[in-house]
Amino acid sequence: MGAAMFYHLTQRPLEDTLRLLLEKSLAAGWRVAVRGTDSSRLEALDRALWLGPQDSFLPHGVAGGAQDAAQPVLLTTSDTSPNQPQCLMAVHSADVTAAEVSGMERVCILFDGHDAAALAHARGQWTALKGAGVMAQYWSEESGRWEMKAQSGQPSA
């Protein structure tokens, strides 16, 4: 069973945190689906990811292309992903189910701490996943560095 990691963004923009998490996921050998709720916002993320540091190449694509299944990172609005990811990253208040967490190595839920609607959605996700017995961790960058503030559930043996 996987784990859900909640990332409460207050210091860094989504693009920076997403890039960091994507790099770590790819280094672990995982394929990743980045699930959003709006295709235009995912296209903006796509552009931002291509404009990263010159010494850092982050291979990715937006769903709907001929090579979707081969993408190491696929940005999508769908609840299915043809690249068969081991990690799901939910942005822009995209929903995640307990079954999805169980089927992945890791699920990351990134939310803007300055957006009341995004914060409320993340709290609802936390409550639902916690209620389903999913292992979850809540991480905050309020102090300027990432710190785990809460944990729910136990890792499976």
Side-chain angles (χ1 to χ4, degrees), residues 26 71 81 84 92 120:
L26 291 174
Q71 294 293 342
S81 185
Q84 300 179 340
H92 308 135

Side-chain angles (χ1 to χ4, degrees), residues 78-129:
S78 176
D79 61 355
T80 60
S81 185
N83 71 336
Q84 300 179 340
Q86 291 83 30
C87 180
L88 170 64
M89 299 200 185
V91 299
H92 308 135
S93 297
D95 288 323
V96 173
T97 67
E100 287 176 309
V101 177
S102 295
M104 299 276 176
E105 294 289 330
R106 174 97 22 100
V107 171
C108 300
I109 299 168
L110 293 82
F111 60 99
D112 182 349
H114 303 294
D115 179 333
L119 191 55
H121 187 268
R123 286 181 177 146
Q125 290 261 66
W126 175 269
T127 300
L129 293 175

